[in-house]
Amino acid sequence: QVHVVESGGGLVQSGGSLRLSCAASGSIFGITVINWYRQPPGKQRELVAPIFTGGNTNAADSVKGRFTISRDNAKNMVYLEMNSLKPEDTAVYYCHATYRGNGYWGQGTQVTVSS
């Protein structure tokens, strides 16, 4: 089993920055990919950025050039650095890990960007 816990959300003004953290524990060596998702108010959950075991990353078009996903293997942490935040980035942000074909979600962290 895998457990992931997010932290780092909060209220920030438009144009500001935040760094979200995802702490992974459990059978972490079997994790194939960790993703950041977000769910804006009244909308469906969407993929923001994945980071794969080999280190490859990607990002949704809406956040490319502003958000960066990274990891610290020694600390079992994955980060989402968010810059130039916009009000439309307001959402609950979730960390999700895929382990042996199963998905594991964190509880989410709220990010609110004021205009």
Side-chain angles (χ1 to χ4, degrees):
Q1 276 228 345
V2 171
H3 299 278
V4 290
V5 178
E6 307 93 336
S7 61
L11 174 64
V12 63
Q13 288 189 334
S14 182
S17 299
L18 278 176
R19 187 176 81 159
L20 304 183
S21 300
C22 172
S25 61
S27 302
I28 58 175
F29 293 107
I31 293 175
T32 53
V33 58
I34 290 184
N35 305 286
W36 281 103
Y37 283 81
R38 67 184 181 186
Q39 187 163 16
K43 297 184 178 181
Q44 289 188 332
R45 198 169 296 188
E46 60 184 14
L47 179 63
V48 176
I51 186 163
F52 298 90
T53 302
N56 290 341
T57 64
N58 206 340
D61 288 343
S62 58
V63 304
K64 274 182 180 176
R66 300 188 298 122
F67 290 13
T68 303
I69 188 170
S70 63
R71 68 186 186 191
D72 184 333
N73 289 334
K75 296 181 179 179
N76 299 329
M77 298 288 292
V78 171
Y79 304 101
L80 185 67
E81 188 75 37
M82 305 186 296
N83 299 311
S84 302
L85 283 161
K86 305 175 182 179
E88 50 264 43
D89 294 318
T90 293
V92 179
Y93 284 71
Y94 296 91
C95 183
H96 174 274
T98 299
Y99 170 73
R100 293 188 176 181
N102 296 313
Y104 297 86
W105 292 95
Q107 81 289 349
T109 186
Q110 176 71 47
V111 172
T112 303
V113 184
S114 63
S115 56

